[in-house]
Structure formats: C-alpha cells, structure tokens
Amino acid sequence: MTISATLRRALLFLLITPIVTLLACTSSEGTQKKSTQPSTDKGVPRMTTYPIGRFAIDVPAEMKLVHQWQRLRYAEIEEFAWSGSVPRERARDEAWKKRLTEIGKLTPPKGKERVIIETREFPGLGAWARGVFYYGDYMIAKEIHFDVLFDAGMSGVWMKIHGISKEAMEKNLSNISRSYQPRRFGDLKLPPGNWFYTERGAINLPYLEQETAAARFEGHPLEVKLVIKTVETRKIEPEGHGLLGRLGALLATRFAGNVEIEKIRTGKRIVAAMPGEETILRADEDGRKELSFMWRYAGEKDSGEHPKILIEMESADGRIEEKLQIWDAILNSLKPMYGTGR
C-alpha cells in the first residue's frame, strides 16, 4: 500500500469513526494554523470539463476518466459504448446473454429452484429494452434484484436495483430510464431541468434520495491521481467532526503509524459557495514521500443541491508549486449543474 493510500485510509477511517474522547482535546488543532492562500490563476493548466452527478469540475486535459459510477433513487447506472464492429442487434443480444449467463451462475436461496425469476421486454423504452428479475443474494430469499438493459442510441445502459416489490422496482427503473438522455462528450448544453449527469448521458429528475456520483482520473505527466465523490447525507455533522478536527486527532494519536505527516496547507476553504475544509499534506515513510490533497464539504441533510462532497488528489512528492496550481484550478472550477442544465 502506498503512503498516500495509508494516510487516506487513516483520514477516512477517522471521518466515519466516532472518536469523541480524542476530539475533546484535539478537535481545534487543525484550524489553529493560518492556511496559505490558494494560488492565483497564473500558470493554470489546460483543463477539460466533466459533469459528475449534479456538479461539473475541470480536470487537466492530460488526465483521462478511468471510471465513473453513479446511483440515482436506489438504482445503479452503468453505461458502455456499443461495439462499432458488429451490428447493433447482435451487440445488444450478446450483452444481454452475457448478463444472463453471469446471473445463472449465482446460487439460489434455500427453497428456490432457480436464480432467474422472470425476464421481459419493455417496448417503448428507448430503441430496445429487456429486464430480468432474479435472486441476487442466496442468503435473502425475500430480496429481488432487477436489471434492465436498454439501447439509448449512442450507448447501452444497464440500470440495476434491488428490493422486495417487483412493481415498485419496475416503476422506478421505468421512470429513470424514460428521463435519461444520451449525451456526447463535452456536451453540457441541455435544456433547463433537474439534470443528474452520468458519464455518457443525463437524467432529468429532481433529487429524491439515495443519490451518489463518483469519478476517478489518472494519466497526468506529474503522476497525479484525482477522485471526486458526491453522496447524500442523512444527518448534520457535529462541530469538530470534519476533516480538520479528525486530522488533529490523527496527528495527536499517531493513528497513521510510522508515517510522518507535514502540513503544507490546512484550513477552511469555500468552494462553489460551499464552506468546506482543505488539507494538503506531505507524508514521509522512511524517506519515501508522497503528497495528499483533500477537500471535503459535510453537506446538508437530504439535499441534492448540497450533498456531501469529497475531492482527493495524490501524487509522489516533488514539483509542489505546479501541483498546487493544478489543485487550485480543480477546486476553483467546481460548479453546480442543477436547475439550468448549463
């Protein structure tokens, strides 16, 4: 495991683990030092805009999107490009049969003879659509999984959900699918609406619940890696339980083991009008140094417009000023995409 991965795991563990006793004596440690002002726009790298969920962020043009994952109203959404080397009808049939084969290898719950409960077609949903109900967990006979594959034109889309009511799941996925619009790369000019952006499309539905979007970027010449995640939150975070408070506890208790941690920049930082917290750290383990950049906004309860947001960047040590410019450019670019579609 890399140093930055060790540090990140420690920080994230502290972010989700109740350590009230530690916080009582260390929660202000991370906020006492004045934060260095973010760099100016001078030297900002060439950037590419990526919409992710209900936000958009600029990423250095050299970086590539490695993976984007999203969940909307309990449904996981997975998109893929159709193969250009085979007819569309064949490509759809192959994707469908491959998924049925994977499902068929699962173990049915006790008392059930087979995993697959039912398959059906959905006329009027895109150019073509099929769905399958099945038992996805052999330990839970009451729980039903429902996967739908539909042809959205420029891409194929899998939507997956699980629950106990076939009717409710079918209604939910049908609503999401019909609200889906395919989107070409770089196209952010959609009509006004309540858009939730996926990797290859967008869904025009307002926030309800269970909404998450995440993306990972790699491939920069400076070997920086970037992750952004937004997720709904069900509770208000207590004072002192944020990134800075937990960092103080981490340093006071040496929770990161033998990794020495140097603060480069820590403090409160407003991004896209959201009052978050920032840490930029150098981790040193036996002379091997890595950089860790984190910005976190705790979010508002049950809000699609103000979800919990975590942005992370990591790299080996060196060329810190260039990396600070990249980091500041990324944070300064974050903007909401809800409401106008632009």
Side-chain angles (χ1 to χ4, degrees), residues 68-291:
Q68 183 167 332
W69 180 87
Q70 48 271 321
R71 179 181 62 186
L72 181 75
R73 300 187 176 191
Y74 296 94
E76 294 183 20
I77 302 161
E78 177 186 337
E79 302 153 298
F80 61 93
W82 293 112
S83 172
S85 60
V86 299
R88 178 65 58 83
E89 294 78 5
R90 177 181 164 189
R92 293 187 305 223
D93 191 55
E94 288 178 351
W96 176 249
K97 288 181 177 179
K98 179 181 178 182
R99 183 62 182 137
L100 290 185
T101 299
E102 293 171 349
I103 293 173
K105 295 177 181 179
L106 300 176
T107 301
K110 186 176 180 180
K112 305 295 181 181
E113 295 183 359
R114 54 200 299 263
V115 172
I116 294 178
I117 301 170
E118 176 187 359
T119 62
R120 65 174 66 173
E121 296 186 0
F122 293 92
L125 182 58
W128 175 99
R130 289 180 182 172
V132 54
F133 291 97
Y134 62 99
Y135 297 109
D137 189 336
Y138 75 95
M139 297 291 291
I140 309 176
K142 291 183 178 181
E143 186 175 79
I144 300 171
H145 289 237
F146 183 36
D147 294 3
V148 171
L149 170 64
F150 71 94
D151 184 350
M154 290 185 289
S155 59
V157 183
W158 280 105
M159 293 195 179
K160 306 176 182 181
I161 198 170
H162 56 88
I164 59 175
S165 170
K166 290 170 61 177
E167 292 75 15
M169 289 189 293
E170 183 175 342
K171 181 179 180 180
N172 189 20
L173 285 198
S174 178
N175 185 37
I176 296 173
S177 301
R178 285 183 167 82
S179 302
Y180 178 92
Q181 177 175 315
R183 179 180 55 83
R184 296 185 184 279
F185 179 77
D187 184 8
L188 303 179
K189 297 180 180 178
L190 296 175
N194 295 291
W195 293 102
F196 178 92
Y197 285 81
T198 60
E199 180 180 354
R200 296 174 177 271
I203 300 166
N204 191 7
L205 286 173
Y207 170 81
L208 183 62
E209 56 186 342
Q210 289 294 315
E211 190 171 290
T212 302
R216 181 175 180 83
F217 299 87
E218 297 180 2
H220 194 276
L222 295 182
E223 298 184 352
V224 297
K225 299 176 182 179
L226 175 70
V227 173
I228 175 173
K229 181 177 182 181
T230 70
V231 60
E232 84 288 341
T233 181
R234 294 295 184 181
K235 59 183 179 179
I236 302 298
E237 186 170 87
E239 186 70 26
H241 282 234
L243 187 60
L244 297 176
R246 302 303 175 91
L247 173 62
L250 173 71
L251 297 176
T253 60
R254 296 188 60 83
F255 193 85
N258 63 338
V259 178
E260 295 295 328
I261 300 171
E262 174 191 351
K263 295 181 188 178
I264 296 175
R265 191 164 80 198
T266 65
K268 308 280 188 179
R269 181 165 180 179
I270 296 175
V271 174
M274 294 177 288
E277 297 178 325
E278 175 188 46
T279 65
I280 303 176
L281 310 172
R282 177 180 286 111
D284 184 341
E285 183 178 36
D286 299 326
R288 188 162 57 96
K289 300 179 180 181
E290 295 187 5
L291 299 171

Side-chain angles (χ1 to χ4, degrees), residues 58-71:
D58 290 353
V59 174
E62 300 93 337
M63 300 186 79
K64 302 300 180 184
L65 176 63
V66 177
H67 180 66
Q68 183 167 332
W69 180 87
Q70 48 271 321
R71 179 181 62 186

